[in-house]
Amino acid sequence: MRQAKGETMSVNHAQRVDLEVVADLIPAQSRVLDVGSGDGLLLELLQATKQVDGRGMELSQRGVNECVARGLSVIQGDADKDLEFYPDKGFDFVVLSQTLQATRNPKLVLDELLRIGKHAIVSFPNFGHWRVRLSLFLDGRMPVTKDLPYSWYDTPNIHFCTIRDFVNLCDELGATVEKATALDANGQKIGLSMPWWFWNFFGQQAVFLLKR
């Protein structure tokens, strides 16, 4: 059921905690492209709370069907191949939420996000989190966590990165970090005054607002 304009809508605790962080970064009535829309939760949240002009791209047909069932404008497409068809600065914000690590060419995809949007928002699980390091060190096995729930043999994630890795990639692409948020294992924000190494060690996931 769609909410009336001006009402608030919170992401259910069973849903991903990064979605509200992403939504908070986007002003009302912005033009938004959500790349890797999944089941459409983020676009639905943005349309309900921010009245955005939202569009989406999703690789799986099942995801597209779920988005359309929610009344969202989402098409089937591959971020690795189909972003080139979007015009320069065609959107105020382009969002890639928990999808970068599943792309075949993350550098190219991020470069395209920065071209298409006046701003890009990227969220991803941090492979540098202390639980991941501890699992590798003590067990000698690829970690399975709340944010990395797959075993090594069936994971869609093919390019893991740490927060530091992502910051370095932004530097390579000439992207400016306008705002960044790291979330701990409980979904709580880590203090902005903390250095990158602290975020890299204790942040279970991160959300970056970028521009170029």
Side-chain angles (χ1 to χ4, degrees):
M1 183 176 181
R2 194 61 59 96
Q3 291 180 298
K5 184 174 180 179
E7 292 184 3
T8 59
M9 172 182 176
S10 295
V11 178
N12 188 285
H13 290 299
Q15 299 166 2
R16 289 181 5 223
V17 296
D18 65 308
L19 296 186
E20 286 187 334
V21 177
V22 171
D24 285 344
L25 295 172
I26 298 176
Q29 300 181 344
S30 296
R31 183 166 168 78
V32 177
L33 174 64
D34 182 22
V35 180
S37 300
D39 56 9
L41 283 176
L42 177 60
L43 273 180
E44 185 177 58
L45 176 67
L46 289 172
Q47 289 190 351
T49 62
K50 298 294 184 73
Q51 296 79 49
V52 302
D53 180 3
R55 301 287 185 272
M57 173 194 289
E58 167 58 31
L59 180 61
S60 72
Q61 185 60 58
R62 178 179 179 180
V64 173
N65 292 344
E66 290 180 355
C67 290
V68 172
R70 293 175 184 269
L72 304 171
S73 179
V74 174
I75 63 172
Q76 189 168 23
D78 186 338
D80 281 294
K81 298 185 296 185
D82 298 327
L83 290 175
E84 64 177 306
F85 299 110
Y86 287 88
D88 295 358
K89 307 305 178 189
F91 293 85
D92 298 314
F93 292 85
V94 181
V95 180
L96 189 73
S97 180
Q98 301 291 333
T99 302
L100 185 68
Q101 71 279 357
T103 61
R104 290 186 296 276
N105 193 334
K107 183 176 182 179
L108 175 63
V109 170
L110 182 56
D111 192 47
E112 286 287 78
L113 300 183
L114 293 164
R115 177 187 65 80
I116 297 167
K118 297 175 183 176
H119 306 270
I121 299 175
V122 182
S123 69
F124 57 92
N126 174 33
F127 205 67
H129 185 258
W130 69 267
R131 289 186 185 276
V132 175
R133 302 186 195 206
L134 189 64
S135 178
L136 285 168
F137 181 74
L138 294 181
D139 298 334
R141 302 172 58 187
M142 289 297 287
V144 176
T145 68
K146 181 178 69 173
D147 292 301
L148 298 167
Y150 299 96
S151 296
W152 67 269
Y153 51 81
D154 64 359
T155 179
N157 301 318
I158 56 178
H159 287 294
F160 291 114
C161 74
T162 69
I163 291 175
R164 276 189 166 180
D165 288 328
F166 185 78
V167 171
N168 289 340
L169 178 58
C170 290
D171 290 340
E172 285 186 36
L173 293 174
T176 299
V177 177
E178 295 186 281
K179 189 173 183 179
T181 301
L183 304 174
D184 64 19
N186 297 315
Q188 300 299 310
K189 295 181 181 179
I190 295 176
L192 293 175
S193 60
M194 296 300 179
W196 283 122
W197 70 263
F198 190 93
W199 284 29
N200 205 44
F201 194 78
F202 291 104
Q204 191 153 321
Q205 54 183 314
V207 181
F208 278 75
L209 173 65
L210 311 169
K211 71 174 183 179
R212 184 174 61 190

